[in-house]
Amino acid sequence: MQTLDGKIPGGPLAEKWDRHKMDMKLINPANRRQFSVIVVGTGLAGAAASASLAEMGYNVKTFCIQDSPRRAHSIAAQGGINAAKNYANDGDSIWRLFVDTVKGGDFRAREANVYRLAQVSNNIIDQCVAQGVPFAREYGGLLANRSFGGAQVSRTFYARGQTGQQLLLGAYGALSRQIAAGQVQMFSRHEMMDLVVSGDRARGIIARNLVNGELEAHAADAVILATGGYSNVFYLSTNAISCNVSAIWQAYKKGAYFANPCFTQIHPTSLPHVSGHQTKLTLMSESLRNDGRVWVPKNAEDKRPANDISENERDYFLEEKYPSFGNLVPRDVASRNAKQQCDAGKGVGPTGRAVYLDFTQAIKRDGKAVIARKYGNLFDMYRNIIDDDPYETPMMIYPAAHFTMGGLWVDYNLMSNISGLFVLGEANFSDHGANRLGASALMQGLADGYFVIPYTLAGYLGDAGKSEIGEDQAAFKDSIQFAQSRIEKLLAINGKRTVEDIHRQLGRVMEDHVGLARDEAGLKTAIQRIQEIRAEFWENVKVAGPANRYRLNLQKAGRLIDFLDLGELMAIDALNRKESCGGHLRTEAESEEGEAIRDDENFCHVSAWGYQGEEAQPALFVEPLAFENVKLTQRSYK
């Protein structure tokens, strides 16, 4: 088991980033035009990086699978974005945001990365306001804040329940300006099929034009992956159906380490699963827990409508169990407790796999108009999907796969162990540990894209220089041949089962054995079942051709085989981590109250896995985590 070096700068925590920026090499503006950079993904991290690097003078090629960059999944984020501006004057600071984030991640993230995130958070808000993002404002014109889980201060900036959309439109506007200026070449409806590596350095990518099926070689001096998370491995998740792991999985197969793959977030406020025909779940923002109260009937036999159950017959279990934080406990705690209530037979709704989120008290206190102003679009979404009015009847919610804290391993510079391959946003593992606090995803994506990668990319290129390997070289030709042969192999199977059917089968295994609660026997079962499902895929999947036109089924098939491989790695990682942390409950490491018990002596590290071939077990690398500024303690939100 080898140890990884995160290349964390020396010196006091609060000075690390500023010192590091001074120590890194710079590239002067006239020389930047000599360098080319590939950015894969146009969510907040990718769009921000593309716009920033192009503004600085680099030649940028940007790729996305959607028909427009503004349709990246960042647009679906709802509740807000954190920053330590302390506008509410309630005791917030960069230090408190840092501590809350480290604690919220259950002490499984690097202190240095998290502190840098807190440091640049205030700059993000200023940047977005300058771009015209319409954040909510108080009556006097100041930017408004609200609370999110895992914090006792109000630090979340928001635009009703559509914050991600508004932030992405701001980044998209900056990106569009650079496209018009000719500094960014935009390749929509293009999917990365392979990472080209030569001489232990990332040299470019192979992309498939999804409209005509052509494979294209693109060379660059550095490659940036900002392709989001992989929760669709569970089949049912809050992610858009097109979200996938394939770009970072191809990088993994080319030698990039995959860190903490089993660290996934199960979001407590999703609409519940009600039909076997569903293909995705819908998120209800965590911000709703500011005013909504979570409860179930005290009596498991009580199946009356919610409004017929009196106050003294209701169990407000989060408020009872965690009086200090109440309904604003972190996501992992809220999700685990909701599942426990449903497992005990107290679940509500037609399936019994839901709890209530009730706004009756808030509406009586503040009035319907105030609640509508805060959450109106979310209430409209709920009514349109569930056909019930949440102003009159409590919402039903249940935990669902949402965000992924795992991703490609990166050092402090956001560079993977492959030289020249940078990974931003949810595609990397770096900032959230075993659980992401609400409103921190948008913060990380924009921090990485606007305020980190412009420095660290220059530092790398200043040392490494130009790539000097073009698209006519053997490395690119070999990668095109690899991608072509994979497509041909998928089309040649001609079985009887649909991609959707096999994906749904994988999702059930993942949810049952690699979800909120795990045990050794279940994880071993999951590994065996995934191997069987993968064999069934290669023998019996039906993928319609030909490949020279837009074929969604072919796209999904390629992504599914990567999900099958990833699912096995997630189970291997979970089996190896014999502790409970964050939202990852090993039933062998659980307190009598159902709380997660960490094992800091044996697992206070990042687990990073290296690909060793199709038939071989992945190799484990670890990066020890040191906590010099925040004391390691078992988390308590009571």
Side-chain angles (χ1 to χ4, degrees):
M1 189 165 56
Q2 300 182 46
T3 300
L4 297 175
D5 178 10
K7 298 180 181 176
I8 300 168
L13 183 66
E15 299 175 13
K16 288 182 186 294
W17 178 231
D18 290 334
R19 286 187 177 190
H20 190 54
K21 287 190 291 185
M22 287 301 298
D23 291 341
M24 284 187 291
K25 288 189 175 181
L26 299 176
I27 300 175
N28 77 55
N31 288 341
R32 291 176 200 152
R33 64 176 66 102
Q34 300 174 22
F35 291 93
S36 60
V37 182
I38 285 172
V39 179
V40 185
T42 57
L44 288 180
S50 296
S52 299
L53 296 173
E55 182 78 38
M56 296 170 71
Y58 295 102
N59 300 297
V60 180
K61 288 183 176 181
T62 302
F63 298 79
C64 73
I65 59 176
Q66 298 89 357
D67 56 358
S68 167
R70 69 178 181 273
R71 295 192 66 186
H73 186 60
S74 296
I75 206 166
Q78 297 170 344
I81 177 172
N82 288 331
K85 281 186 172 290
N86 194 31
Y87 282 177
N89 198 29
D90 57 358
D92 202 11
S93 64
I94 289 172
W95 185 262
R96 190 177 295 277
L97 175 54
F98 157 68
V99 171
D100 285 348
T101 306
V102 170
K103 179 183 175 184
D106 216 352
F107 301 92
R108 291 296 178 259
R110 292 190 198 119
E111 282 191 335
N113 284 68
V114 176
Y115 191 86
R116 176 175 64 188
L117 179 64
Q119 267 183 300
V120 303
S121 65
N122 294 337
N123 296 336
I124 296 170
I125 303 303
D126 296 339
Q127 170 91 358
C128 294
V129 169
Q131 289 174 338
V133 173
F135 287 120
R137 293 180 180 269
E138 304 288 1
Y139 178 77
L142 297 177
L143 297 183
N145 289 123
R146 59 187 175 199
S147 299
F148 256 62
Q152 291 180 300
V153 297
S154 295
R155 64 161 65 102
T156 304
F157 295 77
Y158 63 97
R160 293 186 73 190
Q162 51 188 243
T163 313
Q165 180 185 51
Q166 299 304 324
L167 291 171
L168 186 60
L169 288 173
Y172 172 68
L175 173 60
S176 296
R177 178 174 179 271
Q178 295 306 317
I179 294 171
Q183 283 298 118
V184 173
Q185 286 181 266
M186 187 67 232
F187 295 86
S188 298
R189 287 191 172 175
H190 278 67
E191 182 166 19
M192 176 179 151
M193 303 298 289
D194 198 20
L195 176 72
V196 180
V197 179
S198 178
D200 296 324
R201 177 174 174 176
R203 307 287 182 170
I205 67 169
I206 304 302
R208 180 171 179 264
N209 184 322
L210 297 179
V211 177
N212 60 26
E214 291 183 4
L215 295 172
E216 304 170 1
H218 296 273
D221 300 305
V223 176
I224 297 171
L225 301 184
T227 51
Y230 50 84
S231 275
N232 277 347
V233 69
F234 290 91
Y235 184 68
L236 286 177
S237 83
T238 64
N239 284 194
I241 289 175
S242 62
C243 293
N244 64 85
V245 75
S246 291
I248 61 173
W249 193 254
Q250 300 314 314
Y252 164 72
K253 293 177 76 171
K254 281 299 183 72
Y257 300 148
F258 207 119
N260 298 336
C262 79
F263 281 176
T264 57
Q265 182 167 82
I266 311 298
H267 197 293
T269 50
S270 165
L271 296 189
H273 180 202
V274 295
S275 166
H277 300 290
Q278 278 179 267
T279 55
K280 77 175 300 294
L281 297 172
T282 303
L283 177 69
M284 289 285 103
S285 169
E286 181 182 322
S287 63
L288 294 170
R289 290 194 280 142
N290 272 279
D291 290 298
R293 301 178 71 195
V294 179
W295 64 273
V296 292
K298 287 183 178 179
N299 182 0
E301 305 302 318
D302 193 344
K303 303 303 179 185
R304 291 176 294 165
N307 289 341
D308 292 344
I309 301 175
S310 64
E311 277 291 309
N312 62 2
E313 296 174 301
R314 300 178 178 188
D315 180 2
Y316 293 95
F317 56 93
L318 292 178
E319 297 174 25
E320 289 290 326
K321 194 172 180 181
Y322 306 100
S324 293
F325 284 75
N327 295 298
L328 286 172
V329 292
R331 290 176 176 179
D332 60 317
V333 177
S335 293
R336 189 163 58 248
N337 278 271
K339 182 178 184 297
Q340 288 169 355
Q341 295 295 325
C342 293
D343 289 346
K346 293 184 177 182
V348 302
T351 65
R353 307 303 292 177
V355 299
Y356 287 127
L357 183 62
D358 193 339
F359 290 85
T360 303
Q361 188 180 83
I363 292 171
K364 287 181 178 178
R365 182 187 66 235
D366 298 331
K368 182 177 177 179
V370 171
I371 299 302
R373 191 160 59 244
K374 289 181 178 180
Y375 313 113
N377 64 307
L378 298 171
F379 278 48
D380 291 343
M381 284 170 53
Y382 184 90
R383 182 170 52 238
N384 290 337
I385 295 169
I386 303 297
D387 193 25
D388 199 6
D389 186 354
Y391 291 106
E392 302 294 334
T393 307
M395 286 184 180
M396 289 184 295
I397 57 169
Y398 191 69
H402 178 56
F403 188 88
T404 51
M405 284 74 66
L408 292 188
W409 182 87
V410 291
D411 62 18
Y412 186 74
N413 296 317
L414 304 185
M415 188 164 73
S416 75
N417 57 294
I418 296 177
S419 182
L421 176 65
F422 294 83
V423 191
L424 311 186
E426 192 177 356
N428 75 33
F429 86 100
S430 67
D431 290 358
H432 305 298
N435 172 64
R436 177 178 67 80
L437 291 183
S440 289
L442 307 185
M443 177 172 62
Q444 185 206 353
L446 292 178
D448 289 356
Y450 282 140
F451 297 110
V452 179
I453 194 64
Y455 290 96
T456 60
L457 177 73
Y460 165 73
L461 293 175
D463 280 327
K466 290 186 60 61
S467 170
E468 308 296 352
I469 299 242
E471 293 149 5
D472 58 347
Q473 300 292 312
F476 283 89
K477 293 178 180 178
D478 291 345
S479 282
I480 284 182
Q481 182 58 44
F482 163 78
Q484 183 62 43
S485 63
R486 191 177 194 235
I487 292 170
E488 292 171 356
K489 184 177 180 181
L490 289 170
L491 292 173
I493 301 169
N494 198 30
K496 296 181 179 180
R497 292 187 63 186
T498 65
V499 173
E500 208 74 17
D501 185 38
I502 296 175
H503 194 175
R504 186 181 291 111
Q505 186 179 5
L506 169 65
R508 283 195 292 266
V509 172
M510 295 300 295
E511 184 176 349
D512 289 345
H513 301 298
V514 201
L516 264 173
R518 308 159 178 183
D519 59 46
E520 183 173 348
L523 291 167
K524 289 180 177 177
T525 298
I527 292 169
Q528 180 182 348
R529 289 290 298 118
I530 292 168
Q531 291 171 349
E532 293 169 354
I533 296 169
R534 181 168 54 232
E536 170 73 1
F537 174 95
W538 285 117
E539 291 174 8
N540 203 24
V541 75
K542 175 70 175 180
V543 184
N548 62 349
R549 62 187 68 177
Y550 192 86
R551 289 287 183 187
L552 187 58
N553 195 39
L554 177 58
Q555 297 171 39
K556 287 185 174 181
R559 295 165 192 168
L560 176 55
I561 194 58
D562 294 333
F563 277 138
L564 284 161
D565 292 343
L566 167 69
E568 183 177 1
L569 182 65
M570 290 172 65
I572 290 171
D573 184 43
L575 185 62
N576 175 264
R577 188 171 283 275
K578 296 179 174 65
E579 67 164 352
S580 295
C581 58
H584 312 94
L585 184 72
R586 280 292 291 266
T587 56
E588 302 95 331
E590 181 180 12
S591 72
E592 292 182 0
E593 295 80 21
E595 301 293 346
I597 300 177
R598 291 195 323 267
D599 180 354
D600 294 329
E601 183 177 349
N602 295 302
F603 294 101
C604 191
H605 61 242
V606 177
S607 296
W609 299 89
Y611 181 71
Q612 303 294 303
E614 294 289 346
E615 304 299 326
Q617 280 284 104
L620 175 61
F621 302 82
V622 300
E623 179 193 342
L625 294 171
F627 292 93
E628 301 169 352
N629 299 276
V630 184
K631 184 180 179 182
L632 275 167
T633 57
Q634 289 292 333
R635 288 193 304 168
S636 173
Y637 291 94
K638 296 181 179 182

